[in-house]
Amino acid sequence: MLTKLFCFIAILACTTCPAQNITTANPEAKEPLKEKKEAANLEKTDNKSGTDKPRLPKDYYWMRMENGLEVVVIENHKVPLATIEIAVKNGAYTEGPEYSGLSHLFEHMFFKANKDYPDQEKFIRRTEELGMVWNGTTDVERVNYFFTFDKDSLVAGLQFMNAAIRFPIYRAEDMQKERPVVDGEFQ
């Protein structure tokens, strides 16, 4: 069940920063995403599925990581903001009756604590330091989480998202507080 809940399908960064400033999800990787653009964006077939790679407009970049994560970067120089969004293939369709509402509860818990910000107060303080606007939504087939902030905070925002996605902390007291909130939204 948890494998289904955490099957990440996409991450999106809309930014005024050029794509060459955004490296791959592997922090040790030296090669920027834009340098991989031709390989990821213009090849005719995907080696894993044999399907055509997407044809994208100017300033759109796409690649599929080895772990299946699909990364899309959209450059937009109209405003000095960056948005990082993760969409998770999850929602009511992954939940049997015994798990009804679990993906929505996890959406709420995403904004509570992680290894870098071990309680909600530290989490909130960091969002304020970065000037973030943030939210998440749960639907039948996907849950998404996003952070929007000044473009100069892109690297810090990516680090923040990394900790939230990869190293969440589900504290019992936070779960108890959020259960009635999620149930109230459900009702």
Side-chain angles (χ1 to χ4, degrees), residues 40-145:
N41 188 19
L42 301 177
E43 289 178 16
K44 280 302 257 179
T45 60
D46 176 306
N47 293 337
K48 293 180 182 164
S49 65
T51 60
D52 286 341
K53 294 214 180 234
R55 297 258 182 226
L56 301 172
K58 181 180 184 295
D59 296 328
Y60 281 56
Y61 308 93
W62 175 90
M63 71 180 295
R64 178 174 290 131
M65 307 296 286
E66 287 182 21
N67 65 3
L69 179 74
E70 294 183 36
V71 179
V72 178
V73 176
I74 303 170
E75 288 186 44
N76 178 343
H77 301 274
K78 293 178 181 172
V79 292
L81 298 174
T83 295
I84 303 169
E85 177 179 352
I86 182 101
V88 182
K89 187 187 255 184
N90 185 28
Y93 86 101
T94 65
E95 301 171 352
E98 70 277 16
Y99 295 110
S100 183
L102 187 60
S103 56
H104 193 185
L105 179 62
F106 280 0
E107 175 212 318
H108 281 241
M109 295 302 297
F110 181 85
F111 301 103
K112 296 292 181 188
N114 59 59
K115 80 169 180 78
D116 291 347
Y117 307 97
D119 58 54
Q120 191 176 31
E121 293 76 28
K122 290 181 174 116
F123 186 99
I124 298 291
R125 190 174 319 120
R126 185 61 175 149
T127 64
E128 290 170 350
E129 289 169 0
L130 294 173
M132 282 186 180
V133 174
W134 49 274
N135 206 345
T137 63
T138 301
D139 205 340
V140 175
E141 294 183 353
R142 64 116 191 96
V143 179
N144 74 313
Y145 312 90

Side-chain angles (χ1 to χ4, degrees), residues 8-55:
F8 300 121
I9 58 167
I11 188 167
L12 172 69
C14 303
T15 178
T16 60
C17 302
Q20 68 263 22
N21 293 338
I22 302 171
T23 58
T24 63
N26 179 356
E28 290 81 31
K30 306 274 188 227
E31 191 175 354
L33 185 60
K34 191 166 187 173
E35 291 175 12
K36 292 188 174 186
K37 152 180 110 163
E38 279 75 27
N41 188 19
L42 301 177
E43 289 178 16
K44 280 302 257 179
T45 60
D46 176 306
N47 293 337
K48 293 180 182 164
S49 65
T51 60
D52 286 341
K53 294 214 180 234
R55 297 258 182 226

